[in-house]
Structure formats: structure tokens, C-alpha cells
Amino acid sequence: MMKERILVIGACGQIGVELTLALRKIYGASNVVASDMREENKLLTGTGPYVSLDVMNKEMLHVQIIRQNITQIYLLAAILSATGEKNPNLAWSLNMQSLLNVLEIARDENVHKVYWPSSIAVFGPTSPKINCPQQTIIEPTTVYGISKYAGEFWCNYYFHRYNVDVRSIRYPGLISYKSQPGGGTTDYAVEIFYDAISERKYNCFLKKDTFLPMMYMPDAIRATIELMEAPAENINIRTSYNVAAMSFSPAEIAAEIKKHIPDFSISYEPDYRQPIAESWPQSIDDSFAQKDWHWSPKFDLSAMAADMISNLEEQNIEKNDQI
Ligand code: NAD
Ligand code: AKB
């Protein structure tokens, strides 16, 4: 069996930390090289190799891929929807050029698999709102969504033209307690837990009835690894797969949190992220992922909320013990 050497780019972000740790368990700590532009995340420190790397510097990226004998790349560096609207040129440039740098080097070197995530942000106001299908009208209105949709077609192109085995998932909003989210519209669904535990209240930047597709991080990590480990002949979608787990509104998640923290209260002050959220579907049809690589989520809203609260409370207790 070929010995895999994996490079995770953007390893210090919300997904990167947990994905790197999960990959290290499977492939061996020394075979998974974490990289990012920022300082190493403390959850990664001491768990395996780390290199400081700007994915926009193609020469340095190329050097690292050769030096580390990399056979698989997970590219997670990106600017997300809310931050992207503040600096559209930067978001387009990072989100596109990082992908092209990785795809070109993968084509020319010994990299036989690439993972690059897309997002439900590819969908726009003209896409179906409920159970949004894999193939449908796609007219994104954010620069982030435009960059993801263009990226999906670059992945498809490199697979068909150059045989680069690149795979992708359109993640919904991801909820996690290990590392903080980085500038998305769905970030409220993480912030709400932190504020519920520390302040007993949360001021939400979306309206109470704004439904969005969401997923708990353990499901997202499992989906990613299951897709990457599926036999190549089962992967029929080479743009990016729809995946789904749950769908809820701020009012619904607040009610769920109240079951655990009865004095929790929520207020609403919608801002520039409201129209972004309203442009996306409320729920997703993931039947292609179910059929091709047997995708099935484990966490619904109530299981996710219970697990988030118990893990965040434990972290809080440990932090207070250290003070
Ligand atoms: P994040 O912002 O938390 O992490 C991105 C990481 O990339 C950061 O650690 C950042 O320092 C790093 N980075 C930025 N520019 C870089 C550069 N030039 N070179 C190297 N590293 C750089 O993002 P995330 O939430 O972990 O998302 C990872 C991927 O998943 C992105 O492509 C994102 O679009 C996609 N995605 C995320 C979500 C979500 O809810 N988190 C949903 C859909 C899709
Ligand atoms: C965002 O809100 O930008 C991300 C995403 C759904 O891609 N969480």
C-alpha cells in the first residue's frame, strides 16, 4: 500500500484543526503536515509536523510539496462569506489563486488526491429554498459564493483534463467547540453557545426565522474523510457534493439551548449578513452523496446542542481551574 504524506493548508482554522487531528489518527502523526499563515494553533502543538506557509506563494508551496514528499493535499485556506463582502478583491484572489496553485502543482507532481471544500454559498436567491438539489439554478450573489462556484468548475476541469483526483463537499454552516469560526454568515450558530454559557444571553445578527442548513463538526470531518476514502469509481460528482445534516433558525436553536440553560435569552439585531443568509437555501438535498459514498449524518439539532454545551462547559471548568 502506498504510504500517504498529507499536507493540510489552512490547518489552524475552524475545520483545519479538527481535520488535521483526525487525519493524524488515521495516517500517523508524522505523515500529516499541518500548515498555515498564522501561528500554530495550540491544539495542534506537539501533535505532528507544522510548517508556516502562505499558499499564495506558489514557489514555496511547490518546495514544501517536494521536500515533504506530499501525496495528498487538503486545501482549507479561504476567506468566508461575511469577511469576503468587506474585501471582495482579496477574497476572489485568495479563494481562486490558492486553488489554482494547488491544482497545478498536484498535476505536475506526485500528488494523487486533492480535497477542496465548496459551500452552500454557491446557491443564490434563484435556487430552490427547500431541499435544494445537487444540480439546479445556481446564481450566487456573494463574492465568496462566486469564488466557490468557479472553484468547483476548476476542480471538475482538472479531473477531466489532467486526471487530478480532486474531491469536494459543499459544506453547510459548521458548528464546533474546538476552534473558532473565521468570518462566515453561519458563525452565529457557534457564537450563540459561547455567549449562552458565559453571558446567559446572545444578540443575534440574523432574524429569528432565518433557516439555514447546518452540520456539527464531527459529521463534517467524517463526511470529508469518507469522501476522500471512497473508491474513485464511486465519485460521480467532480464539481462538489451537496451534504446535509440539520436545518434550523436562530429562534429554534435558542429554544434548544434554553432546555439546558433555562435563564438563556436571545435578542435580534440583523446586519449586513441577513441578506447573505436570505440568499441561501434553507435545506439541502444530499441524495447523490447518500448514493455514491453512503453519506449519513449522526447529529441532529438536539444531539448537537447537548454535545456543544457539555463540551464548552467542561472547557470552562478546566479554564477556571487553571486560574
Ligand atoms: P477559517 O477561516 O477558520 O480557516 C482558514 C485558515 O486558512 C485560517 O487558519 C487562515 O489563517 C488560513 N489562511 C488564510 N490565508 C492563507 C494563506 N494565504 N496561506 C495559508 N493559510 C491561509 O475557515 P474554515 O471555516 O476552517 O473553512 C475552511 C474551508 O472550508 C474554506 O474553504 C471554507 O470556505 C470552507 N467552508 C467552511 C464552512 C464553515 O462553516 N466553517 C462552511 C462551508 C465551507
Ligand atoms: C459562511 O457562512 O460563510 C460559511 C459557509 C456556509 O460557507 N460558514
Side-chain angles (χ1 to χ4, degrees), residues 293-312:
W293 42 279
H294 314 297
W295 165 243
S296 169
K298 291 204 170 124
F299 286 87
D300 60 11
L301 172 58
S302 89
M304 176 276 287
D307 201 63
M308 276 294 282
I309 290 170
S310 92
N311 278 291
L312 285 173

Side-chain angles (χ1 to χ4, degrees), residues 211 221 252:
F211 282 82
I221 300 298
E252 282 186 349

Side-chain angles (χ1 to χ4, degrees), residues 226-258:
E226 285 177 4
L227 170 68
M228 288 299 273
E229 291 191 341
E233 60 273 19
N234 291 10
I235 309 301
N236 295 309
I237 305 284
R238 289 292 178 169
T239 48
S240 188
Y241 277 96
N242 278 8
V243 291
M246 61 186 99
S247 174
F248 56 78
S249 64
E252 282 186 349
I253 193 174
E256 198 58 46
I257 290 173
K258 247 174 126 38

Side-chain angles (χ1 to χ4, degrees), residues 80-82 118-121 144 171-174 183-187 280:
L80 279 73
S81 60
S118 183
S119 162
I120 53 149
Y144 175 66
Y171 293 128
L174 300 181
T185 303
T186 59
D187 293 9
W280 294 346

Side-chain angles (χ1 to χ4, degrees), residues 168-187:
S168 177
I169 284 175
R170 290 172 178 156
Y171 293 128
L174 300 181
I175 301 162
S176 65
Y177 60 87
K178 289 193 182 155
S179 55
Q180 302 270 347
T185 303
T186 59
D187 293 9

Side-chain angles (χ1 to χ4, degrees), residues 9-16 35-38 53-56 75-80 94-95 116-120 144 148 169-175 180-183 186-187 217:
I9 301 170
C12 296
Q14 189 193 6
I15 303 174
S35 75
D36 204 293
M37 253 188 9
R38 15 172 165 156
L53 182 68
D54 177 358
V55 66
M56 298 296 271
L75 169 58
L76 305 174
I79 291 179
L80 279 73
L94 173 66
N95 296 1
W116 173 83
S118 183
S119 162
I120 53 149
Y144 175 66
K148 288 296 183 189
I169 284 175
R170 290 172 178 156
Y171 293 128
L174 300 181
I175 301 162
Q180 302 270 347
T186 59
D187 293 9
M217 191 61 88

